[in-house]
Amino acid sequence: MAKIVVDPITRIEGHLRIEAQVEGGKITDAWAAGTMWRGIETILKGRDPRDAWTFVSRICGV
Amino acid sequence: MAGSIYHHLLSRGVTRRDFLKFCSATAATLGLSSSMVPQIAEALEKKERPSVVWLHFQECTGDSESVLRASKPSIAKVILDIVSLDYHETIMAPSGHAAEKSLHDTITKKKGKYIAVYEGAVPTKDGGIYCFVGGKKSIDTCKEVAAGAMANIAVGNCACFGGVPAAKPNPTEAKGIRDIIGGTVLNIPGCPMNPENFTAVVVHFLTFGSLPALDSLGRPLFAYGKLIHNNCERRPHFDQGQFVRQWGDQGHRLGWCLYEMGCKGPMAFQNCPTIRWNEGTSWPVQAGHPCIACATPDNWDAAYPFYQRMKAVPGVGWQANADKIGLGVAAATAAAVAAHGAIRAAKRRKECSKSEDEGHE
């Protein structure tokens, strides 16, 4: 049983990690993790809804 | 010279004419006389491409996208060709261990010879656990890469001043690069930054061997030395008290001043009105939206709410820069100046409501 870790996954930004468990040449289990957190939901609390787009449009610029 | 930036550009199909146009445009952005164009051209003809390590922390990759969409002339090529982008997570081919190796090889083999570019803020709360790349905390990677860099450039408001992740209540205690590594960091803020300012900084560095003159916030003066409000094409409407009062009203259709709709141009320093975006096509105010002061520290709170009128417009002269007047509304400008501004603003409001009455229905 082997475990493969690919981190960073590039070309979609860098903040993604994939772990895969391999048994007999087959992937039997896998985990994906976003490895960056900013808390934009928390930042938006209490703000004017009309301003929300300016923040949430910055979640991803790709 | 083989191996030079110029040679590289020629091999990628950029013509001599386009190359010189690029040199002229960059000289103009830098505020240099056209007599400097030959010096810029000569530097790019002789110098090898500097190695660049581009790191992503708490960001949206908007600044990378901004650069990838740079255009003047076919600058998507130039910007990517005047530098040797040795590590950039969004566009590099290797992933995982191979990507980590690229970074490691560059910072060890080219120690003291690479330019480090940072995109995104660095979280410091709970030991910096809110951003990992390749299993490493961004705060550690940032310090490691900065230690061997010949120049550190922060692009976008997040890397410069914390930006969106640092907006109240700043859940991850995000900070700009300067607050993490100290020393000289050249800041090219904006949300996103304007790619032409980035190109101009790199060309300046290659031509003169130094970074351009900076203000106290680490921003190059050629790009952030002037107030948007003073260079805005809608400024005559401000002076005449012609304001947009409602989205889509007559004033909005006629391109009047957006101050009443919340425009933060009077506190924002950047060259948007001059160089604009997308090959000089437009910029937010020209498109009819108020400025949100995206190159200003803490703009997500200091310029907030974005659709509410600034309480006062600081009275500033044409030659003022951020260091001379402080940071607009947030700064305590001299009482006399403030009073002067308030009187003028009140006068304008009066004139404005008069013209509104006349201008509508």
Side-chain angles (χ1 to χ4, degrees):
Chain A
M1 191 174 74
K3 201 172 191 182
I4 297 171
V5 179
V6 186
D7 179 9
I9 301 278
T10 54
R11 280 158 285 150
I12 57 144
E13 279 204 48
H15 315 107
L16 179 67
R17 177 187 178 98
I18 299 286
E19 293 180 43
Q21 193 170 293
V22 185
E23 278 175 57
K26 283 186 180 173
I27 293 175
T28 54
D29 209 347
W31 300 266
T35 57
M36 185 270 283
W37 186 76
R38 288 166 291 181
I40 289 180
E41 300 89 338
T42 312
I43 291 166
L44 280 174
K45 272 186 193 167
R47 292 188 190 256
D48 190 319
R50 288 170 299 182
D51 291 318
W53 75 268
T54 55
F55 292 83
V56 300
S57 65
R58 268 82 181 178
I59 288 172
C60 184
V62 176
Chain B
M1 189 187 288
S4 73
I5 294 162
Y6 178 57
H7 184 82
H8 193 79
L9 289 171
L10 288 187
S11 72
R12 298 289 290 260
V14 173
T15 62
R16 174 81 187 164
R17 183 182 169 81
D18 278 347
F19 171 69
L20 290 174
K21 267 163 71 180
F22 166 72
C23 294
S24 305
T26 307
T29 304
L30 284 166
L32 298 173
S33 140
S34 56
S35 63
M36 297 302 287
V37 173
Q39 198 177 335
I40 291 173
E42 196 189 344
L44 297 184
E45 280 163 357
K46 289 183 178 164
K47 299 258 169 82
E48 283 184 24
R49 299 182 304 152
S51 186
V52 167
V53 170
W54 190 301
L55 299 174
H56 293 85
F57 300 136
Q58 285 177 303
E59 44 76 64
C60 71
T61 317
D63 300 286
S64 293
E65 290 291 334
S66 188
V67 163
L68 294 170
R69 271 141 194 72
S71 54
K72 197 190 284 176
S74 29
I75 285 225
K77 284 181 187 169
V78 176
I79 184 66
L80 292 175
D81 288 356
I82 63 169
V83 300
S84 165
L85 209 46
D86 291 344
Y87 183 87
H88 187 297
E89 286 146 18
T90 319
I91 56 176
M92 68 195 296
S95 265
H97 296 307
E100 285 180 76
K101 189 173 181 301
S102 302
L103 178 60
H104 180 260
D105 286 354
T106 307
I107 64 172
T108 48
K109 289 178 189 163
K110 297 182 180 170
K111 195 174 179 189
K113 291 178 186 161
Y114 62 86
I115 296 174
V117 177
Y118 308 91
E119 182 173 354
V122 174
T124 60
K125 195 180 181 185
D126 301 328
I129 60 165
Y130 297 101
C131 184
F132 280 86
V133 175
K136 272 187 177 173
K137 285 180 201 166
S138 61
I139 191 165
D140 296 334
T141 309
C142 180
K143 287 176 182 169
E144 188 186 349
V145 170
M150 68 172 165
N152 290 295
I153 301 177
V155 299
N157 226 18
C158 299
C160 295
F161 309 121
V164 170
K168 279 176 190 161
N170 193 354
T172 59
E173 287 170 22
K175 289 182 176 174
I177 303 304
R178 239 186 171 191
D179 292 336
I180 302 294
I181 62 175
T184 303
V185 177
L186 184 137
N187 286 331
I188 310 179
C191 196
M193 65 147 170
N194 195 313
E196 290 180 36
N197 291 336
F198 176 75
T199 318
V201 165
V202 175
V203 169
H204 188 285
F205 190 68
L206 292 171
T207 307
F208 305 107
S210 63
L211 295 173
L214 309 178
D215 67 9
S216 64
L217 295 167
R219 306 181 296 187
L221 282 167
F222 75 81
Y224 302 90
K226 288 178 182 169
L227 199 60
I228 283 186
H229 184 56
N230 286 354
N231 289 280
C232 181
E233 67 252 27
R234 296 187 185 221
R235 175 62 186 263
H237 297 293
F238 177 88
D239 291 338
Q240 290 172 40
Q242 295 176 322
F243 297 102
V244 177
R245 302 284 186 172
Q246 218 171 20
W247 301 119
D249 70 6
Q250 193 195 20
H252 198 210
R253 292 197 294 274
L254 290 171
W256 286 3
C257 177
L258 292 156
Y259 169 69
E260 292 282 338
M261 301 306 283
C263 187
K264 303 300 185 296
M267 65 180 283
F269 288 85
Q270 202 176 180
N271 53 359
C272 308
T274 330
I275 60 169
R276 295 179 284 183
W277 296 79
N278 302 320
E279 255 179 302
T281 306
S282 187
W283 64 293
V285 168
Q286 186 179 346
H289 191 275
C291 169
I292 62 168
C294 69
T296 304
D298 204 23
N299 76 304
W300 298 96
D301 293 300
Y304 190 84
F306 297 127
Y307 298 112
Q308 210 171 85
R309 180 168 62 80
M310 285 172 72
K311 287 191 174 61
V313 176
V316 292
W318 283 87
Q319 297 307 317
N321 65 30
D323 290 344
K324 288 181 189 154
I325 70 154
L327 281 172
V329 279
T333 45
V337 175
H340 175 67
I343 291 161
R344 286 179 60 184
K347 195 176 159 212
R348 275 190 206 104
R349 274 200 295 282
K350 206 173 161 190
E351 285 168 2
C352 164
S353 51
K354 200 177 145 201
S355 76
E356 278 280 302
D357 293 343
E358 288 165 358
H360 284 276
E361 270 80 51

